[in-house]
Amino acid sequence: MSKSTDAPSSTTKSEAFVQVEELLAEARTLENSDRVRADDLARRAADLATSCKREDLYARALLVRGAIAIADASFEQAGEYYAAARDIFARRRDVGGQADALGGLGVAHFMQGGYREAFQYSRRSLAACEEVKDVGGQARECSRLGGLFQHFGDLQAALDHQLKALGLLRPLQRPRDLAACLNNLALVYKDLGQYDTALGYYRECLELCDSIGSKDGKALVLVNIGTIHNLRREKHQALEYFERAVGLARAIRDRRKETIALTSVAGILLDLGEEGKACETYRAANVIAREIKLGRSVAITLIGLGRSFSSLGRFDEAAACLNEAAEYTEQSDILHLKSDLYDALTRLCEQRGDYKTALEHSRRRREIDYQMINQRTDERLNNLRILHETEQARNQAEIRRLENVELAAANERLEELIRNKNEFLGVAAHDLRNPLSNIQGLARLITTQADRLSPAETRDLADDIRTSSQRMLTLVADLLDINRIDQGRLNIKPMQFDLAHTAKRYLSVYSSPAQAKNIRLQYQGPDDDVLAWADRDVMVQVLDNLVSNAVKFSPVDTTVTVVTTTNMSAFPPRARLEVRDQGPGLTVDDMAQLFGKFARLSAQPTGGEPSTGLGLSIVKQLVEAMHGAVWCESTHGRGATFIVELPVKSVADPASED
């Protein structure tokens, strides 16, 4: 009687193990080019792992199937694969496997709009990678967190995370991951408006894609470089890169990228006045979009065709395209597509002389634009809330851990952080909504009353919009600064520099707001250098806060004085900066809360300027991070003097103590 074959022999198990690894390796190589074949290979690997009773290999197969599902836009299915893999790895206490599964869950939730869950999963994955010292995994999750911060609008945090990911990846021999990181970093610099820096990273990414033969990655980077040139209004350079992307997408038979690149080419041709070529290109993109069922791209190309036909005077064809586009946009919740459609319809009706219908379309477009403003406001507030709640959950978890070891002092500090975060969110929501509402109202007034407003009145309204937007910008900058400081993400780069020269040079920046209130700015200091050991850029930010505060709270016809000296009586000597004003001074109660967050003092800005109550808190933490000290000397009714003292030499230099 033959032996039972229910359980494979050790030799068979060993062979099966090799087979599973080979199947998964082949599946990974086909992940982007042939997803059906790749998933079939991964499924076979999973079946083989099950027959060999190798749960660990089965979980690895689930990870590969999850990645394939992500590439195929089957995000819910991907989440199921990753969740099953996570549970297996958790049972086996495989922290590295859990890190991979958690990271995949983060991507699946992000692609479905679950940003809070994505943030939490990515944070957990990063912690697991750090536990097992998986540097590549740490880089991957840092980059993903950077993408999330970019989505939330915190571009500085996004940049910090992407730069950290890049620093982790540079020493590793993982060119494909490095290329993805370079592309993500360039996207952040693009959003920051630093186009030259973005192009530098894109070009490095392009060279890397060439070196590893990543044609799909190269096609994406070519489109991104073209987008940068288009933003810089360099239309011919943009066209060159978009056309290269079209050729490459066709070579690798990536129909989706071909559609995107063709649509970009068509848009440039239309901008260059080549309407006939634009029509041909939009039509080609439209055909592909229909074939692969990309509804959004179908709508975009139809709107582009409508604009092109309108420019050629072929109004009936334009109307047919735009009416068909309307059928797609009505089924979509993408507001900017609807806005573009009604803008195109408005222009078409104006060209036909149908001004009544044009006015109706224009009104509809304005209504959609208002919806977009409200939607963006709600999204920003929701993003702030997600960041706050995630941070709050982490703080509460830390509180519980500290309670277990009876660290009451640390517990109190964390509870204070939670209270600050609650106040942070409340202030942000309140102070952002007010100027946004002002901007909405003023913009609505301009658009609805344009024919009744004089040029001077329009300029006044536009200036009010500028003032409200500047108020928002100042608030957001302060909120991001204080949040970055709280999270310990300050990057202080100390060096020796002349504090006197810096103060004199940057004092002229404040001349305009000072002149508006007839306030005199004057500098006092020695002829010799006043050397300080600190971060010069951070010190400029400190100076900006102190001088702008002095101007803000000073009455008209007064003087603000900036003084730099070297305090030789201190041991060791210290570089000293003083900012003196002739304002109302500070009460005893004011002095007690002066450097606290969201401090509300008895004095009010004399010109109605906005104040977030964060500036002096930022100053104190920045100065202390540079091993300096800041304080205020004031008598109520007699002005105030803010004093900053900084080291003259490096605090790590033994000679500084001589």
Side-chain angles (χ1 to χ4, degrees):
M1 185 174 178
S2 62
K3 293 178 66 176
S4 172
T5 57
D6 290 343
S9 67
S10 59
T11 303
T12 306
K13 285 185 177 181
S14 176
E15 291 173 352
F17 171 79
V18 173
Q19 274 188 277
V20 170
E21 290 291 348
E22 288 175 348
L23 287 168
L24 292 180
E26 187 178 355
R28 290 188 192 98
T29 63
L30 297 172
E31 187 178 299
N32 292 308
S33 58
D34 189 348
R35 290 190 282 273
V36 174
R37 170 72 174 154
D39 190 56
D40 181 60
L41 291 168
R43 181 187 54 77
R44 286 167 54 193
D47 291 344
L48 188 55
T50 301
S51 69
C52 295
K53 299 181 180 179
R54 288 293 302 267
E55 193 179 44
D56 57 332
L57 291 179
Y58 178 72
R60 290 290 167 191
L62 288 175
L63 291 180
V64 175
R65 297 197 75 182
I68 295 166
I70 291 288
D72 200 38
S74 301
F75 306 123
E76 188 173 347
Q77 180 67 69
E80 293 175 4
Y81 288 139
Y82 284 126
R86 173 202 57 193
D87 294 343
I88 293 171
F89 288 129
R91 284 199 303 271
R92 298 178 62 85
R93 298 184 182 179
D94 182 342
V95 178
Q98 289 181 69
D100 293 338
L102 289 167
L105 278 167
V107 175
H109 279 281
F110 178 84
M111 299 306 293
Q112 295 177 87
Y115 304 117
R116 179 187 289 101
E117 295 83 358
F119 198 74
Q120 292 169 344
Y121 280 126
S122 197
R123 278 264 177 89
R124 288 171 60 191
S125 178
L126 177 59
C129 290
E130 289 171 344
E131 183 178 340
V132 296
K133 297 181 172 55
D134 177 3
V135 178
Q138 291 175 48
R140 176 193 69 213
E141 294 309 321
C142 276
S143 187
R144 286 174 178 170
L145 284 167
L148 282 160
F149 277 115
Q150 188 172 2
H151 171 79
F152 294 148
D154 190 346
L155 294 181
Q156 185 58 55
L159 183 61
D160 291 344
H161 279 78
Q162 297 295 2
L163 287 172
K164 183 178 179 181
L166 183 63
L168 291 168
L169 280 171
R170 288 279 193 202
L172 305 179
Q173 297 300 314
R174 300 174 67 164
R176 191 173 292 274
D177 291 341
L178 180 58
C181 183
L182 289 167
N183 184 69
N184 293 338
L185 183 56
L187 285 170
V188 178
Y189 277 114
K190 184 203 78 171
D191 284 357
L192 286 167
Q194 298 182 30
Y195 299 141
D196 288 338
T197 306
L199 281 174
Y201 283 113
Y202 276 138
R203 288 181 180 126
E204 183 182 353
C205 181
L206 203 59
E207 292 174 5
L208 199 55
C209 288
D210 278 332
S211 70
I212 61 176
S214 175
K215 293 182 179 179
D216 57 326
K218 182 177 179 179
L220 176 63
V221 177
L222 287 171
V223 170
N224 289 340
I225 293 176
T227 301
I228 294 287
H229 284 297
N230 191 27
L231 288 169
R232 294 168 64 164
R233 303 185 184 280
E234 298 165 352
K235 300 294 182 180
H236 292 287
Q237 292 96 318
L239 183 60
E240 176 191 344
Y241 281 99
F242 288 144
E243 287 178 337
R244 287 174 62 189
V246 171
L248 191 55
R250 284 174 177 165
I252 61 176
R253 298 181 180 179
D254 190 327
R255 305 286 273 167
R256 183 175 179 276
K257 286 191 177 72
E258 184 182 353
T259 305
I260 294 169
L262 279 170
T263 305
S264 300
V265 168
I268 296 294
L269 290 171
L270 187 57
D271 289 343
L272 292 173
E274 299 186 38
E275 293 89 353
K277 290 183 179 179
C279 279
E280 294 174 9
T281 311
Y282 273 128
R283 189 178 283 115
N286 181 263
V287 169
I288 300 171
R290 290 177 189 272
E291 287 176 0
I292 60 177
K293 298 180 180 179
L294 289 176
R296 178 180 176 183
S297 292
V298 172
I300 292 171
T301 52
L302 284 170
I303 293 170
L305 276 168
R307 290 184 186 278
S308 302
F309 282 133
S310 291
S311 298
L312 290 168
R314 295 159 62 177
F315 300 135
D316 290 341
E317 292 168 276
C321 289
L322 295 176
N323 288 333
E324 186 179 357
E327 296 176 11
Y328 282 91
T329 58
E330 286 305 315
Q331 302 169 13
S332 168
D333 58 355
I334 304 174
L335 291 177
H336 74 82
L337 263 185
K338 295 181 180 181
S339 177
D340 289 346
L341 171 65
Y342 280 100
D343 181 63
L345 285 168
T346 300
R347 294 174 187 272
L348 173 61
C349 291
E350 287 174 346
Q351 287 177 293
R352 284 180 145 178
D354 185 357
Y355 297 109
K356 181 179 179 181
T357 307
L359 182 60
E360 292 174 1
H361 288 318
S362 178
R363 285 173 178 165
R364 178 60 180 143
R365 181 182 62 80
R366 286 199 299 273
E367 290 172 2
I368 293 169
D369 289 345
Y370 295 148
Q371 290 178 40
M372 283 196 292
I373 291 172
N374 290 330
Q375 186 182 74
R376 288 169 187 160
T377 302
D378 291 340
E379 284 177 357
R380 290 189 183 105
L381 293 174
N382 188 51
N383 290 338
L384 278 171
R385 188 174 291 109
I386 290 172
L387 286 173
H388 160 71
E389 289 174 355
T390 304
E391 199 66 30
Q392 186 180 46
R394 292 185 71 202
N395 288 338
Q396 288 173 336
E398 184 67 2
I399 288 172
R400 288 192 293 270
R401 187 186 71 81
L402 293 175
E403 285 175 343
N404 291 336
V405 292
E406 298 180 347
L407 294 178
N411 187 8
E412 183 179 349
R413 167 61 179 153
L414 286 169
E415 288 177 344
E416 180 186 354
L417 282 174
I418 292 173
R419 288 194 297 272
N420 287 342
K421 292 296 180 183
N422 287 334
E423 192 168 9
F424 174 99
L425 184 63
V427 170
H430 178 269
D431 287 359
L432 280 173
R433 185 171 287 276
N434 285 346
L436 277 170
S437 298
N438 289 343
I439 290 171
Q440 271 190 274
L442 293 166
R444 186 180 296 111
L445 185 60
I446 290 174
T447 55
T448 57
Q449 304 292 326
D451 54 341
R452 302 179 186 177
L453 295 172
S454 68
E457 289 172 327
T458 303
R459 282 194 299 272
D460 287 342
L461 291 172
D463 190 60
D464 289 340
I465 290 175
R466 183 193 61 78
T467 301
S468 291
S469 62
Q470 183 59 46
R471 179 182 170 192
M472 288 172 58
L473 185 62
T474 301
L475 173 64
V476 169
D478 282 351
L479 290 171
L480 291 177
D481 277 345
I482 203 72
N483 196 43
R484 190 162 66 254
I485 291 168
D486 281 350
Q487 294 185 8
R489 292 193 281 110
L490 271 179
N491 186 18
I492 300 295
K493 297 178 181 177
M495 60 180 290
Q496 195 166 62
F497 67 95
D498 182 7
L499 181 60
H501 174 75
T502 300
K504 285 187 286 187
R505 180 179 176 184
Y506 283 90
L507 199 58
S508 60
V509 173
Y510 312 104
S511 58
S512 293
Q515 287 173 1
K517 297 169 72 172
N518 202 26
I519 293 173
R520 295 174 295 282
L521 297 178
Q522 66 178 23
Y523 170 78
Q524 295 177 7
D527 294 330
D528 297 329
D529 293 347
V530 177
L531 298 178
W533 180 267
D535 188 314
R536 182 175 175 276
D537 292 335
V538 172
M539 193 55 210
V540 168
Q541 186 178 354
V542 170
L543 185 67
D544 175 73
N545 268 293
L546 294 179
V547 175
S548 62
N549 257 14
V551 171
K552 188 184 300 182
F553 290 92
S554 290
V556 297
D557 297 320
T558 56
T559 300
V560 171
T561 305
V562 175
V563 182
T564 59
T565 58
T566 301
N567 183 3
M568 300 303 297
S569 62
F571 183 80
R574 312 276 277 178
R576 184 181 178 102
L577 170 78
E578 298 181 12
V579 178
R580 305 171 183 166
D581 66 52
Q582 296 174 336
L586 300 165
T587 65
V588 174
D589 289 340
D590 288 339
M591 294 291 282
Q593 60 171 327
L594 188 59
F595 293 100
K597 293 175 188 173
F598 308 108
R600 299 300 184 194
L601 308 180
S602 60
Q604 296 296 317
T606 54
E609 301 96 330
S611 176
T612 64
L614 288 169
L616 291 178
S617 176
I618 292 171
V619 164
K620 186 175 190 298
Q621 294 184 73
L622 292 178
V623 170
E624 289 178 352
M626 296 186 292
H627 303 284
V630 59
W631 68 95
C632 177
E633 297 175 356
S634 176
T635 301
H636 191 226
R638 298 185 181 180
T641 299
F642 284 86
I643 301 163
V644 175
E645 286 195 349
L646 298 166
V648 173
K649 296 182 180 180
S650 168
V651 294
D653 183 359
S656 67
E657 299 295 328
D658 291 343

